[in-house]
Amino acid sequence: MSRNATYNFAGMSALVMEHSSFLLSAVSLICRSVGIRPVHEATSAGEALALLRDTMPDFVITTCGADGRDGLALCTAIRGDDALPCRFVPIVMMTSHSVKHVVELARDAGVTEVLAKPISAAALLDRIVYVVDHPRPFVQAPDYFGPDRRRRPADAPYNGPERRLNAPVIVSAPVGVAGRVEAAAPPHGIA
Amino acid sequence: MYRAPARLIRRPNDLKLRAARPGGRTLAELRAVADTALADVQAEFVAWVVARLAVVATAIDDTRPSSPIEAGDVAMLREDIAELADSAATFGHPVVGDVARMMGEVVALATSADGRLGNADRRHVELLRSQVAAIRAVLNAGPGAAAAGAALLPTLRRTIDRLAGASRA
Protein backbone atom coordinates (compact mmCIF):
# COMPACT_ATOMS: atom_id res chain seq x y z
CA MET A 1 0.00 0.00 0.00
CA SER A 2 1.50 3.29 -1.02
CA ARG A 3 0.86 6.39 1.03
CA ASN A 4 -0.78 8.07 -1.95
CA ALA A 5 -2.98 5.14 -2.92
CA THR A 6 -6.65 6.05 -2.87
CA TYR A 7 -9.64 3.90 -2.04
CA ASN A 8 -13.21 4.38 -3.11
CA PHE A 9 -15.48 2.22 -0.98
CA ALA A 10 -18.70 3.64 -2.38
CA GLY A 11 -21.04 0.86 -3.38
CA MET A 12 -19.26 -1.77 -1.30
CA SER A 13 -21.26 -3.40 1.45
CA ALA A 14 -20.45 -4.98 4.79
CA LEU A 15 -22.04 -7.16 7.38
CA VAL A 16 -21.11 -6.42 10.99
CA MET A 17 -21.79 -8.90 13.78
CA GLU A 18 -21.17 -7.62 17.31
CA HIS A 19 -22.94 -8.46 20.58
CA SER A 20 -22.44 -5.02 22.07
CA SER A 21 -24.99 -2.65 20.60
CA PHE A 22 -22.73 0.32 21.13
CA LEU A 23 -19.72 -1.26 19.46
CA LEU A 24 -21.98 -2.49 16.68
CA SER A 25 -23.11 1.05 15.99
CA ALA A 26 -19.51 2.31 16.22
CA VAL A 27 -18.18 -0.19 13.68
CA SER A 28 -21.13 0.46 11.37
CA LEU A 29 -20.55 4.17 11.69
CA ILE A 30 -16.88 3.81 10.76
CA CYS A 31 -17.83 1.78 7.69
CA ARG A 32 -20.56 4.17 6.59
CA SER A 33 -18.36 7.21 7.11
CA VAL A 34 -15.94 5.97 4.45
CA GLY A 35 -18.71 5.14 1.99
CA ILE A 36 -19.34 1.45 2.69
CA ARG A 37 -23.10 1.06 2.27
CA PRO A 38 -25.26 -0.71 3.05
CA VAL A 39 -23.92 -2.00 6.35
CA HIS A 40 -26.00 -4.91 7.58
CA GLU A 41 -26.01 -5.30 11.36
CA ALA A 42 -26.40 -8.46 13.41
CA THR A 43 -25.98 -9.16 17.10
CA SER A 44 -25.57 -12.93 16.85
CA ALA A 45 -24.18 -15.52 14.47
CA GLY A 46 -27.66 -16.82 13.73
CA GLU A 47 -28.88 -13.37 12.78
CA ALA A 48 -25.80 -12.81 10.62
CA LEU A 49 -26.25 -16.11 8.80
CA ALA A 50 -29.89 -15.31 8.11
CA LEU A 51 -28.78 -12.02 6.54
CA LEU A 52 -26.08 -13.76 4.51
CA ARG A 53 -28.63 -15.97 2.80
CA ASP A 54 -30.12 -12.89 1.13
CA THR A 55 -27.15 -10.54 0.84
CA MET A 56 -23.62 -10.74 -0.49
CA PRO A 57 -21.48 -8.29 1.47
CA ASP A 58 -17.97 -7.38 0.35
CA PHE A 59 -16.65 -7.63 3.92
CA VAL A 60 -17.77 -9.41 7.07
CA ILE A 61 -16.62 -7.84 10.32
CA THR A 62 -17.40 -9.97 13.34
CA THR A 63 -16.65 -10.04 17.00
CA CYS A 64 -15.11 -13.11 18.55
CA GLY A 65 -17.41 -12.90 21.57
CA ALA A 66 -16.70 -13.51 25.21
CA ASP A 67 -16.10 -17.21 24.73
CA GLY A 68 -15.20 -17.06 21.07
CA ARG A 69 -17.93 -19.45 20.02
CA ASP A 70 -20.32 -17.12 18.25
CA GLY A 71 -17.81 -15.41 15.95
CA LEU A 72 -15.95 -18.62 15.20
CA ALA A 73 -19.25 -20.40 14.50
CA LEU A 74 -20.15 -17.69 12.02
CA CYS A 75 -16.80 -18.05 10.21
CA THR A 76 -17.05 -21.82 10.15
CA ALA A 77 -20.60 -21.59 8.80
CA ILE A 78 -19.62 -19.13 6.06
CA ARG A 79 -16.61 -21.13 4.91
CA GLY A 80 -18.30 -24.49 5.31
CA ASP A 81 -21.51 -23.87 3.42
CA ASP A 82 -20.88 -24.11 -0.30
CA ALA A 83 -24.44 -22.97 -0.95
CA LEU A 84 -23.65 -19.56 0.52
CA PRO A 85 -22.87 -17.02 -2.20
CA CYS A 86 -20.37 -15.22 0.02
CA ARG A 87 -18.15 -18.16 0.89
CA PHE A 88 -15.03 -16.25 -0.21
CA VAL A 89 -15.86 -13.01 1.60
CA PRO A 90 -12.99 -11.48 3.60
CA ILE A 91 -13.73 -11.87 7.32
CA VAL A 92 -12.18 -9.51 9.86
CA MET A 93 -12.55 -10.77 13.41
CA MET A 94 -12.39 -8.36 16.33
CA THR A 95 -11.31 -9.97 19.56
CA SER A 96 -10.48 -8.96 23.09
CA HIS A 97 -8.58 -12.19 23.46
CA SER A 98 -5.66 -11.75 21.10
CA VAL A 99 -3.81 -14.66 22.66
CA LYS A 100 -2.15 -17.18 20.40
CA HIS A 101 -4.76 -19.87 21.05
CA VAL A 102 -7.67 -17.65 19.99
CA VAL A 103 -5.80 -16.35 16.96
CA GLU A 104 -5.09 -19.95 15.90
CA LEU A 105 -8.75 -20.89 16.34
CA ALA A 106 -9.74 -17.90 14.23
CA ARG A 107 -7.20 -18.79 11.56
CA ASP A 108 -8.43 -22.38 11.41
CA ALA A 109 -12.05 -21.21 11.20
CA GLY A 110 -11.18 -19.29 8.04
CA VAL A 111 -10.82 -15.77 9.37
CA THR A 112 -8.95 -13.48 6.99
CA GLU A 113 -7.63 -10.92 9.48
CA VAL A 114 -7.74 -10.59 13.27
CA LEU A 115 -8.15 -7.20 14.91
CA ALA A 116 -7.46 -6.78 18.63
CA LYS A 117 -9.93 -4.79 20.70
CA PRO A 118 -10.18 -2.01 21.62
CA ILE A 119 -10.69 -1.12 18.02
CA SER A 120 -10.00 2.27 16.56
CA ALA A 121 -11.21 3.71 13.30
CA ALA A 122 -7.61 3.70 12.05
CA ALA A 123 -7.00 0.05 12.93
CA LEU A 124 -10.26 -1.13 11.39
CA LEU A 125 -9.65 0.81 8.18
CA ASP A 126 -6.08 -0.50 8.05
CA ARG A 127 -7.43 -4.07 8.08
CA ILE A 128 -10.06 -3.34 5.44
CA VAL A 129 -7.48 -1.72 3.18
CA TYR A 130 -5.11 -4.63 3.82
CA VAL A 131 -7.64 -7.23 2.66
CA VAL A 132 -8.31 -5.11 -0.43
CA ASP A 133 -4.62 -4.78 -1.24
CA HIS A 134 -3.50 -8.27 -0.25
CA PRO A 135 -6.12 -10.85 -1.15
CA ARG A 136 -5.10 -14.34 -0.12
CA PRO A 137 -5.77 -17.36 -2.28
CA PHE A 138 -8.19 -19.85 -0.83
CA VAL A 139 -7.28 -23.38 0.12
CA GLN A 140 -9.72 -26.18 -0.39
CA ALA A 141 -8.71 -29.29 1.53
CA PRO A 142 -10.75 -32.09 3.09
CA ASP A 143 -10.71 -30.49 6.53
CA TYR A 144 -10.31 -26.82 5.69
CA PHE A 145 -11.74 -24.21 3.39
CA GLY A 146 -10.57 -20.65 3.77
CA PRO A 147 -7.77 -18.20 3.13
CA ASP A 148 -4.32 -19.71 2.70
CA ARG A 149 -2.90 -19.90 6.21
CA ARG A 150 0.68 -19.73 4.98
CA ARG A 151 1.37 -16.03 5.10
CA ARG A 152 4.41 -15.52 2.99
CA PRO A 153 5.19 -14.08 -0.38
CA ALA A 154 4.35 -16.52 -3.17
CA ASP A 155 7.99 -16.84 -4.16
CA ALA A 156 9.35 -17.40 -0.64
CA PRO A 157 10.13 -20.98 0.42
CA TYR A 158 7.90 -22.61 3.04
CA ASN A 159 9.99 -24.05 5.84
CA GLY A 160 7.29 -25.68 7.97
CA PRO A 161 6.16 -29.32 7.89
CA GLU A 162 4.61 -30.20 4.54
CA ARG A 163 1.04 -31.18 5.26
CA ARG A 164 -0.15 -30.84 1.71
CA LEU A 165 -0.21 -34.13 -0.16
CA ASN A 166 0.38 -32.50 -3.51
CA ALA A 167 1.65 -29.21 -4.78
CA PRO A 168 -1.47 -27.06 -4.64
CA VAL A 169 -3.41 -27.08 -7.85
CA ILE A 170 -4.25 -23.53 -8.75
CA VAL A 171 -7.81 -22.99 -9.82
CA SER A 172 -8.89 -19.61 -11.12
CA ALA A 173 -12.41 -18.89 -10.04
CA PRO A 174 -14.18 -16.01 -11.72
CA VAL A 175 -15.69 -13.23 -9.68
CA GLY A 176 -19.36 -13.70 -9.05
CA VAL A 177 -19.12 -17.46 -8.79
CA ALA A 178 -20.97 -18.63 -5.74
CA GLY A 179 -19.31 -20.63 -3.03
CA ARG A 180 -19.09 -23.80 -5.06
CA VAL A 181 -15.83 -23.99 -7.01
CA GLU A 182 -15.84 -25.92 -10.23
CA ALA A 183 -12.41 -27.06 -11.32
CA ALA A 184 -11.85 -27.98 -14.95
CA ALA A 185 -10.66 -31.42 -13.91
CA PRO A 186 -9.95 -32.83 -10.47
CA PRO A 187 -6.22 -32.82 -9.86
CA HIS A 188 -4.35 -36.02 -9.20
CA GLY A 189 -4.96 -37.30 -5.72
CA ILE A 190 -8.16 -35.37 -5.18
CA ALA A 191 -11.35 -37.28 -5.24
CA MET B 1 1.94 -36.81 9.77
CA TYR B 2 -1.45 -36.56 8.08
CA ARG B 3 -1.16 -35.05 4.64
CA ALA B 4 -4.12 -33.83 2.68
CA PRO B 5 -4.73 -32.95 -0.92
CA ALA B 6 -5.04 -29.23 -1.35
CA ARG B 7 -6.38 -27.01 -4.05
CA LEU B 8 -5.37 -23.37 -4.19
CA ILE B 9 -8.05 -21.08 -5.55
CA ARG B 10 -7.02 -17.72 -6.91
CA ARG B 11 -9.69 -15.22 -7.83
CA PRO B 12 -9.37 -11.89 -9.57
CA ASN B 13 -9.10 -9.07 -7.05
CA ASP B 14 -12.50 -7.55 -7.63
CA LEU B 15 -12.32 -5.45 -4.45
CA LYS B 16 -9.08 -3.80 -5.56
CA LEU B 17 -10.57 -2.98 -8.95
CA ARG B 18 -13.64 -1.43 -7.39
CA ALA B 19 -11.70 0.48 -4.75
CA ALA B 20 -9.46 1.94 -7.43
CA ARG B 21 -12.31 3.80 -9.12
CA PRO B 22 -11.97 7.59 -9.33
CA GLY B 23 -13.14 9.62 -6.37
CA GLY B 24 -11.21 7.68 -3.77
CA ARG B 25 -9.43 9.01 -0.71
CA THR B 26 -6.08 8.17 0.83
CA LEU B 27 -5.96 6.02 3.94
CA ALA B 28 -5.04 9.08 6.01
CA GLU B 29 -8.09 10.93 4.70
CA LEU B 30 -10.34 7.95 5.35
CA ARG B 31 -9.04 7.68 8.93
CA ALA B 32 -9.73 11.37 9.53
CA VAL B 33 -13.28 11.07 8.20
CA ALA B 34 -13.98 8.02 10.38
CA ASP B 35 -12.49 9.65 13.49
CA THR B 36 -14.72 12.69 12.99
CA ALA B 37 -17.78 10.46 12.66
CA LEU B 38 -16.85 8.62 15.87
CA ALA B 39 -16.35 11.89 17.74
CA ASP B 40 -19.99 12.74 17.07
CA VAL B 41 -21.20 9.81 19.12
CA GLN B 42 -18.77 10.14 22.03
CA ALA B 43 -21.28 12.08 24.14
CA GLU B 44 -23.78 9.27 23.63
CA PHE B 45 -21.10 6.86 24.71
CA VAL B 46 -20.57 8.64 28.04
CA ALA B 47 -24.30 8.43 28.77
CA TRP B 48 -24.21 4.74 27.90
CA VAL B 49 -21.24 4.11 30.22
CA VAL B 50 -22.98 5.89 33.09
CA ALA B 51 -26.00 3.61 32.64
CA ARG B 52 -23.75 0.53 32.45
CA LEU B 53 -21.86 1.61 35.57
CA ALA B 54 -25.13 1.86 37.49
CA VAL B 55 -25.84 -1.78 36.63
CA VAL B 56 -22.33 -2.82 37.63
CA ALA B 57 -22.44 -0.82 40.87
CA THR B 58 -25.73 -2.44 41.87
CA ALA B 59 -24.25 -5.87 41.25
CA ILE B 60 -21.20 -4.99 43.34
CA ASP B 61 -23.41 -3.81 46.20
CA ASP B 62 -25.09 -7.21 46.10
CA THR B 63 -21.74 -8.94 46.39
CA ARG B 64 -21.77 -10.22 49.93
CA PRO B 65 -20.79 -13.70 51.03
CA SER B 66 -24.10 -13.88 52.90
CA SER B 67 -26.12 -13.28 49.74
CA PRO B 68 -24.02 -14.33 46.77
CA ILE B 69 -25.46 -13.35 43.42
CA GLU B 70 -26.33 -16.16 41.03
CA ALA B 71 -23.77 -17.55 38.59
CA GLY B 72 -25.84 -16.28 35.67
CA ASP B 73 -25.81 -12.76 37.10
CA VAL B 74 -22.05 -12.98 37.61
CA ALA B 75 -21.64 -13.97 33.97
CA MET B 76 -23.75 -10.96 32.94
CA LEU B 77 -21.69 -8.71 35.19
CA ARG B 78 -18.51 -9.96 33.52
CA GLU B 79 -20.04 -9.35 30.09
CA ASP B 80 -21.05 -5.81 31.08
CA ILE B 81 -17.52 -5.09 32.30
CA ALA B 82 -15.94 -6.65 29.20
CA GLU B 83 -18.21 -4.58 26.96
CA LEU B 84 -17.21 -1.47 28.85
CA ALA B 85 -13.53 -2.35 28.53
CA ASP B 86 -13.81 -3.11 24.82
CA SER B 87 -15.74 -0.03 23.84
CA ALA B 88 -14.22 2.67 26.06
CA ALA B 89 -10.96 3.09 24.15
CA THR B 90 -12.86 3.04 20.86
CA PHE B 91 -14.69 6.14 22.02
CA GLY B 92 -11.63 8.00 23.24
CA HIS B 93 -11.54 6.90 26.88
CA PRO B 94 -8.58 4.52 27.12
CA VAL B 95 -8.22 5.00 30.88
CA VAL B 96 -11.84 3.94 31.40
CA GLY B 97 -11.07 0.87 29.29
CA ASP B 98 -8.00 0.07 31.39
CA VAL B 99 -9.87 0.43 34.67
CA ALA B 100 -12.75 -1.69 33.34
CA ARG B 101 -10.29 -4.39 32.31
CA MET B 102 -8.91 -4.36 35.87
CA MET B 103 -12.45 -4.66 37.20
CA GLY B 104 -12.78 -7.77 35.07
CA GLU B 105 -9.66 -9.17 36.74
CA VAL B 106 -11.03 -8.49 40.22
CA VAL B 107 -14.36 -10.15 39.39
CA ALA B 108 -12.45 -13.12 37.97
CA LEU B 109 -10.46 -13.38 41.22
CA ALA B 110 -13.68 -13.21 43.24
CA THR B 111 -15.42 -15.88 41.17
CA SER B 112 -15.47 -19.34 42.68
CA ALA B 113 -15.62 -22.65 40.84
CA ASP B 114 -19.43 -22.65 40.92
CA GLY B 115 -19.53 -19.41 38.92
CA ARG B 116 -20.69 -17.33 41.90
CA LEU B 117 -18.69 -14.65 43.66
CA GLY B 118 -17.83 -17.14 46.36
CA ASN B 119 -14.26 -15.88 46.76
CA ALA B 120 -15.34 -12.27 47.23
CA ASP B 121 -14.55 -10.57 50.49
CA ARG B 122 -14.44 -6.98 51.70
CA ARG B 123 -11.21 -6.26 49.78
CA HIS B 124 -12.68 -7.29 46.43
CA VAL B 125 -15.84 -5.29 46.98
CA GLU B 126 -13.94 -2.17 48.08
CA LEU B 127 -11.58 -2.43 45.13
CA LEU B 128 -14.48 -2.78 42.70
CA ARG B 129 -16.22 0.21 44.27
CA SER B 130 -13.05 2.28 43.97
CA GLN B 131 -12.76 1.29 40.32
CA VAL B 132 -16.35 2.32 39.61
CA ALA B 133 -15.63 5.62 41.36
CA ALA B 134 -12.46 6.09 39.29
CA ILE B 135 -14.36 5.59 36.04
CA ARG B 136 -17.04 8.05 37.14
CA ALA B 137 -14.39 10.61 38.09
CA VAL B 138 -12.64 10.29 34.73
CA LEU B 139 -15.91 10.65 32.83
CA ASN B 140 -17.07 13.61 34.93
CA ALA B 141 -13.75 15.38 34.51
CA GLY B 142 -13.88 15.10 30.72
CA PRO B 143 -11.22 14.13 28.21
CA GLY B 144 -8.69 16.62 29.66
CA ALA B 145 -8.47 14.59 32.85
CA ALA B 146 -7.20 11.47 31.18
CA ALA B 147 -3.71 11.99 32.60
CA ALA B 148 -5.04 12.24 36.14
CA GLY B 149 -7.06 9.09 35.57
CA ALA B 150 -4.03 7.32 34.18
CA ALA B 151 -2.12 8.16 37.36
CA LEU B 152 -4.57 5.94 39.26
CA LEU B 153 -3.74 2.89 37.19
CA PRO B 154 -0.46 1.83 38.89
CA THR B 155 -2.12 1.95 42.32
CA LEU B 156 -5.06 -0.12 41.11
CA ARG B 157 -2.63 -2.54 39.48
CA ARG B 158 -0.64 -3.04 42.69
CA THR B 159 -3.82 -3.62 44.69
CA ILE B 160 -5.03 -6.25 42.23
CA ASP B 161 -1.64 -7.97 42.25
CA ARG B 162 -1.73 -8.08 46.06
CA LEU B 163 -5.22 -9.58 45.94
CA ALA B 164 -4.13 -12.14 43.38
CA GLY B 165 -1.12 -13.02 45.54
CA ALA B 166 -3.35 -13.42 48.59
CA SER B 167 -5.72 -15.66 46.59
CA ARG B 168 -2.86 -17.92 45.55
CA ALA B 169 -1.47 -18.16 49.08
Side-chain angles (χ1 to χ4, degrees):
Chain A
M1 166 182 54
S2 103
R3 188 176 295 182
N4 296 324
T6 59
Y7 301 88
N8 184 348
F9 291 120
M12 294 193 190
S13 62
L15 181 140
V16 182
M17 196 277 276
E18 166 62 59
H19 306 298
S20 156
S21 56
F22 222 91
L23 269 182
L24 176 62
S25 63
V27 173
S28 299
L29 187 67
I30 292 169
C31 292
R32 288 193 190 101
S33 71
V34 298
I36 298 175
R37 285 173 201 181
V39 179
H40 306 282
E41 297 182 346
T43 55
S44 68
E47 211 177 306
L49 276 173
L51 282 167
L52 287 171
R53 305 218 177 272
D54 300 323
T55 57
M56 193 162 160
D58 294 297
F59 309 98
V60 168
I61 302 166
T62 177
T63 188
C64 185
D67 56 8
R69 280 182 303 190
D70 216 21
L72 294 174
L74 176 62
C75 296
T76 306
I78 291 173
R79 301 299 188 215
D81 185 351
D82 65 5
L84 268 185
C86 59
R87 202 180 180 198
F88 291 92
V89 70
I91 301 174
V92 177
M93 179 175 276
M94 308 175 290
T95 174
S96 314
H97 316 276
S98 54
V99 291
K100 188 179 174 193
H101 171 64
V102 174
V103 173
E104 284 174 353
L105 285 176
R107 179 199 64 191
D108 292 343
V111 168
T112 313
E113 292 293 326
V114 173
L115 175 60
K117 287 182 181 177
I119 59 154
S120 64
L124 180 59
L125 291 174
D126 284 354
R127 289 297 191 285
I128 291 175
V129 163
Y130 188 85
V131 298
V132 168
D133 281 342
H134 303 92
R136 285 153 62 192
F138 270 65
V139 169
Q140 187 176 37
D143 57 354
Y144 176 74
F145 181 87
D148 191 351
R149 293 172 287 189
R150 298 181 183 178
R151 285 173 175 269
R152 67 192 194 287
D155 54 350
Y158 171 68
N159 295 321
E162 188 48 78
R163 285 181 286 259
R164 292 175 183 170
L165 187 63
N166 54 297
V169 176
I170 297 174
V171 180
S172 292
V175 172
V177 167
R180 191 172 286 110
V181 175
E182 304 294 348
H188 178 72
I190 298 181
Chain B
M1 183 200 313
Y2 170 70
R3 299 177 74 193
R7 182 184 300 180
L8 208 59
I9 303 163
R10 289 192 193 282
R11 310 177 83 216
N13 192 352
D14 175 52
L15 287 178
K16 180 79 175 170
L17 286 174
R18 289 162 63 198
R21 288 167 303 167
R25 286 181 279 206
T26 64
L27 185 54
E29 289 168 340
L30 291 170
R31 285 174 175 173
V33 168
D35 278 336
T36 305
L38 266 187
D40 288 344
V41 292
Q42 278 181 347
E44 289 175 41
F45 173 73
V46 171
W48 177 80
V49 172
V50 169
R52 269 288 187 272
L53 273 185
V55 173
V56 171
T58 303
I60 292 168
D61 285 339
D62 287 344
T63 306
R64 294 184 300 273
S66 57
S67 59
I69 60 176
E70 294 297 321
D73 292 333
V74 175
M76 281 177 64
L77 173 65
R78 294 179 80 158
E79 282 179 22
D80 279 339
I81 291 172
E83 188 174 2
L84 196 56
D86 285 344
S87 50
T90 302
F91 290 96
H93 293 281
V95 173
V96 171
D98 287 341
V99 177
R101 237 177 298 284
M102 290 181 181
M103 286 175 72
E105 289 182 51
V106 177
V107 173
L109 283 172
T111 305
S112 46
D114 60 3
R116 295 181 170 205
L117 295 177
N119 298 336
D121 62 22
R122 184 181 49 80
R123 294 168 304 167
H124 296 87
V125 176
E126 283 177 4
L127 185 51
L128 285 168
R129 282 189 182 133
S130 69
Q131 288 168 329
V132 169
I135 291 177
R136 284 190 170 134
V138 170
L139 291 177
N140 289 338
L152 289 170
L153 295 177
T155 308
L156 290 172
R157 176 81 269 153
R158 280 194 296 276
T159 313
I160 293 172
D161 290 345
R162 271 202 303 276
L163 263 182
S167 300
R168 281 193 296 270

